[in-house]
């Protein structure tokens, strides 16, 4: 009976977008209110760029950045926000790396400025350079 109900279950998102990141897989047990998918809004593109926490002063909100998208497409972005929390890098086995050689990382939000950014697949590599 539960298997029949599962086949007819439809989940609806609060907003529109393209599926960007699956945070749970088929068969995973999740808690109530656990995020299982992230939607990407094509009308409001942005990049999350991880930088060492010691370099935060170089990336204040408003800082212009040069971006190189796949296919050697050059575009520009600007640091929009810096979230208040930092992440400790993880080793391949999932443990925290707390050595001086691996400082905490901060994910800054970069938004477009200038020419429109190209549409690229989620997870594609974009090279980011700070203007000097």
């Amino acid at each position: 009976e539960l298997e029949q109900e599962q086949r007819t279950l439809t989940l609806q998102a609060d907003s529109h977008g393209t599926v960007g990141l699956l945070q749970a897989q088929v068969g995973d047990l999740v808690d109530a209110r656990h995020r299982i998918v992230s939607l990407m809004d094509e009308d409001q593109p942005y990049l999350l760029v991880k930088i060492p926490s010691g370099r935060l002063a170089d990336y204040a909100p408003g800082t212009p950045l040069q971006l190189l998208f796949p296919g050697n497409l050059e575009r520009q972005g600007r640091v929009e926000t810096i979230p208040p929390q930092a992440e400790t890098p993880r080793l391949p086995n999932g443990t925290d790396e707390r050595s001086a050689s691996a400082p905490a990382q901060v994910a800054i939000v970069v938004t477009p400025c200038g020419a429109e950014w190209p549409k690229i697949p989620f997870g594609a590599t974009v090279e980011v350079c700070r203007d000097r």
Side-chain angles (χ1 to χ4, degrees):
E1 195 174 298
L2 286 174
E3 288 177 2
Q4 280 295 83
E5 183 179 334
Q6 181 181 8
R7 289 187 190 113
T8 62
L9 182 63
T10 301
L11 301 176
Q12 293 187 355
D14 294 336
S15 61
H16 73 282
T18 301
V19 173
L21 178 64
L22 296 174
Q23 295 167 314
Q25 302 299 320
V26 173
D28 287 352
L29 294 176
V30 295
D31 295 323
R33 315 290 287 158
H34 177 88
R35 183 178 302 201
I36 58 174
V37 67
S38 290
L39 298 179
M40 310 310 285
D41 185 350
E42 293 179 3
D43 296 333
Q44 296 179 336
Y46 66 93
L47 295 174
L48 287 178
V49 179
K50 291 186 180 180
I51 61 169
S53 60
R55 301 281 314 268
L56 272 179
D58 295 336
Y59 294 89
T63 302
L65 301 171
Q66 296 298 320
L67 308 173
L68 184 61
F69 286 88
N72 290 326
L73 296 171
E74 294 182 17
R75 297 294 188 268
Q76 296 179 350
R78 161 179 47 251
V79 177
E80 185 70 27
T81 59
I82 300 173
Q85 71 280 3
E87 298 176 8
T88 301
R90 295 210 173 261
L91 295 171
N93 65 8
T95 60
D96 288 350
E97 183 173 327
R98 299 188 191 278
S99 70
S101 65
Q105 300 282 307
V106 176
I108 62 173
V109 177
V110 177
T111 56
C113 64
E116 185 175 315
W117 287 358
K119 293 191 186 314
I120 58 171
F122 182 78
T125 301
V126 176
E127 190 175 322
V128 179
C129 299
R130 185 179 179 280
D131 282 347
R132 297 256 175 217

